[in-house]
Amino acid sequence: MYYAYKYRLKPSDAHREELDRHRDICRQLYNHTLYRLNEYQDEYGELPSMTTLRSELPDLKKWWDGLSDVYSKVLQTVVERLFDNLKGLSALKENGYAVGQLKWKPPREFRSFTYSQSGFKLDKKGGQAVLSLSKLADIPIRLHRAIPDDAELKQVTVKKEPTGEWFATFGVEMDHEPPEPPENPERCVGIDVGILKYAHDTDGTAVGSLDLSAERERLEREQRSLSRKEHGSNNYEKQRRRVAECHADLRRKRRDFLHKLSNYYAREYDFVAVEDLNVKGMLESPSNSRNTASAAWRTFLSLLEYKCDREGTHFVAVNPRGTTKECAACGVSTEKPLWVREHSCPACGFEADRDANAAWNILSRGLQDVGVGHSEETPVETALPVDTSVSAKRVVESGSPTLKERTASAVSE
């Protein structure tokens, strides 16, 4: 399998200057390659191949002095980056999106360059871990976690964040394959995501949303201060970095929460069913789009999917339509506004928390989608444990043996 390991670099002022110089040369090469691509298309009526443009690099070095200061593999990955962007545009166009053309990259939008296959090495010099980059420098690196011994380093991407910090992301390939998902999963769970309660599952565990109100208030204060600074001045640049640090703080805390929550479900269960949400469409809605964006449901589902694949856990994304309205006991749909947080079925009398009822519907659909047998009997108790909310900083399993037994019996039949 292929993994990414990200570490913080600790460059000196001289290292920072050299890193910025290499980054800017790569940016100028990207823009030049885009110019040559358009020129070739106008002349021959078709797009050139990636090999055609890469073969021009030796000739470019004859009159472009700075190009020889950058490692050759890095220059090749810049050309590959342009064609990867073209493939991305083509994929969007095939899906019906209106796309334009690739544009030249200004300095603020080109923040990284990549060493592929060779030209980099993790080393130790003077008792300190360093990242040796060919034709650049030996840059101290903070290895906060070890890379496995059986891992093979395929590439490293060096990136400058808006805060001015530099990071190195290693592409690592492992020899071992992930375990196969069990044919008869015993520990199954359905997860309903929301705003008030971020996740509510069929075991009765309710996870509260991460409270980032203090961080947002700080960000708004810093943004107001930035708007009063003269654009381009030293004070403007200092304040811009403070705003970038606020954004980075929000992003780190949110991703830390999502990593821990997704890791919990991927490791504790054999079968995970979630909603296949159209988050993009929800963000276009005029109501509550800010909270929807802050929840980062699509990020959570993406993290959960790859971690389930890594741990050998079944992952199923089901159609979310009607999961809140349908009764988990009898299947009768009941209209209820968003402010009604309890489900009460007029047909069978089943009552439960609204999110718990949706979670059971999600699990039932997930089991059907993968062809796992399910019980014809009611899969839920007449009173689900809905008071097991936990802090967003600590995910705790509430434990409901009756619910687990019912899920296991539904799978085994």
Side-chain angles (χ1 to χ4, degrees):
M1 288 191 70
Y2 199 82
Y3 297 97
Y5 284 73
K6 187 176 181 180
Y7 300 97
R8 186 191 302 270
L9 295 176
K10 299 184 289 184
S12 63
D13 291 341
H15 290 157
R16 290 179 185 274
E17 184 177 348
E18 193 66 11
L19 285 167
D20 277 323
R21 191 174 73 88
H22 279 237
R23 179 175 63 92
D24 194 60
I25 292 175
C26 292
R27 178 188 68 85
Q28 294 178 47
L29 176 62
Y30 179 94
N31 292 339
H32 174 81
T33 307
L34 179 58
Y35 167 77
R36 284 288 300 124
L37 183 142
N38 293 331
E39 188 180 48
Y40 188 98
Q41 187 177 20
D42 293 339
E43 183 177 353
Y44 297 99
E46 61 180 4
L47 289 175
S49 65
M50 183 170 61
T51 305
T52 301
L53 294 185
R54 278 198 309 197
S55 63
E56 296 180 357
L57 290 175
D59 292 334
L60 283 178
K61 293 181 180 180
K62 295 178 181 178
W63 59 267
W64 191 340
D65 296 335
L67 215 60
S68 300
D69 296 337
V70 182
Y71 189 63
S72 58
K73 286 286 187 180
V74 176
L75 301 177
Q76 293 176 14
T77 58
V78 173
V79 180
E80 294 172 5
R81 180 172 176 173
L82 175 65
F83 280 85
D84 288 341
N85 292 343
L86 279 176
K87 290 180 182 178
L89 283 182
S90 300
L92 289 175
K93 190 174 182 179
E94 291 176 359
N95 292 331
Y97 290 94
V99 298
Q101 296 180 342
L102 293 179
K103 298 181 180 180
W104 286 24
K105 294 287 187 181
R108 66 180 180 276
E109 294 183 8
F110 199 97
R111 297 188 172 275
S112 64
F113 54 91
T114 301
Y115 283 77
S116 178
Q117 298 178 344
S118 63
F120 66 95
K121 184 176 66 172
L122 275 176
D123 204 353
K124 234 181 184 181
K125 293 186 178 179
Q128 185 179 32
V130 296
L131 173 61
S132 296
L133 299 176
S134 180
K135 289 194 174 183
L136 210 156
D138 294 336
I139 305 174
I141 185 172
R142 183 174 177 267
L143 294 175
H144 61 277
R145 58 170 175 167
I147 297 178
D149 296 333
D150 60 342
E152 183 180 358
L153 300 181
K154 289 293 186 179
Q155 66 177 33
V156 60
T157 298
V158 183
K159 182 178 180 180
K160 182 182 182 181
E161 296 291 343
T163 58
E165 299 172 310
W166 285 89
F167 289 86
T169 303
F170 293 92
V172 176
E173 189 174 23
M174 303 287 193
D175 291 336
H176 59 82
E177 292 296 325
E180 290 293 330
E183 295 183 2
N184 298 311
E186 297 181 356
R187 298 169 297 171
C188 303
V189 67
I191 307 171
D192 177 68
V193 294
I195 299 294
L196 298 178
K197 286 181 289 187
Y198 192 86
H200 200 302
D201 62 35
T202 49
D203 274 354
T205 302
V207 181
S209 294
L210 189 63
D211 184 12
L212 296 173
S213 56
E215 287 78 3
R216 288 199 190 96
E217 290 177 2
R218 182 193 169 203
L219 172 61
E220 291 170 359
R221 288 197 306 269
E222 300 295 351
Q223 285 176 328
R224 286 195 298 268
S225 179
L226 177 64
S227 66
R228 294 191 290 267
K229 299 292 188 292
E230 181 181 354
H231 191 277
S233 64
N234 290 336
N235 287 336
Y236 179 90
E237 180 61 23
K238 291 179 182 178
Q239 188 61 32
R240 185 200 62 78
R241 290 196 177 185
R242 290 197 188 100
V243 172
E245 289 170 359
C246 291
H247 279 292
D249 188 40
L250 274 167
R251 183 170 60 252
R252 281 194 294 264
K253 290 182 178 180
R254 185 183 293 114
R255 289 190 70 87
D256 178 70
F257 167 69
L258 297 180
H259 271 296
K260 290 177 179 177
L261 184 61
S262 58
N263 194 61
Y264 163 75
Y265 281 114
R267 290 189 174 182
E268 292 295 323
Y269 294 94
D270 300 327
F271 182 96
V272 177
V274 296
E275 297 172 287
D276 188 12
L277 296 173
N278 179 19
V279 179
K280 182 178 182 297
M282 299 170 71
L283 290 175
E284 294 173 353
S285 173
S287 60
N288 212 23
S289 58
R290 175 176 177 177
N291 287 333
T292 303
S294 179
W297 291 325
R298 178 51 55 189
T299 302
F300 171 65
L301 297 181
S302 300
L303 294 176
L304 181 60
E305 182 177 8
Y306 94 77
K307 289 182 180 181
C308 286
D309 184 48
R310 182 188 64 190
E311 299 294 335
T313 301
H314 289 280
F315 175 87
V316 182
V318 304
N319 185 358
R321 184 178 294 275
T323 53
T324 302
K325 298 178 182 179
E326 290 181 8
C327 177
C330 64
V332 174
S333 295
T334 305
E335 294 288 342
K336 44 182 173 287
L338 188 60
W339 56 267
V340 176
R341 305 312 303 171
E342 295 293 328
H343 169 78
S344 180
C345 181
C348 67
F350 171 67
E351 295 182 354
D353 180 84
R354 176 192 183 113
D355 297 332
N357 176 74
W360 275 105
N361 284 325
I362 293 168
L363 176 58
S364 178
R365 292 185 185 185
L367 294 174
Q368 292 177 8
D369 287 350
V370 298
V372 178
H374 62 284
S375 175
E376 297 293 336
E377 300 179 356
T378 302
V380 293
E381 295 293 334
T382 56
L384 290 176
V386 297
D387 56 347
T388 55
S389 298
V390 295
S391 168
K393 296 182 179 179
R394 184 184 177 193
V395 182
V396 182
E397 184 178 9
S398 64
S400 178
T402 307
L403 295 178
K404 291 181 181 178
E405 292 170 2
R406 284 187 177 275
T407 306
S409 64
V411 174
S412 61
E413 292 185 4

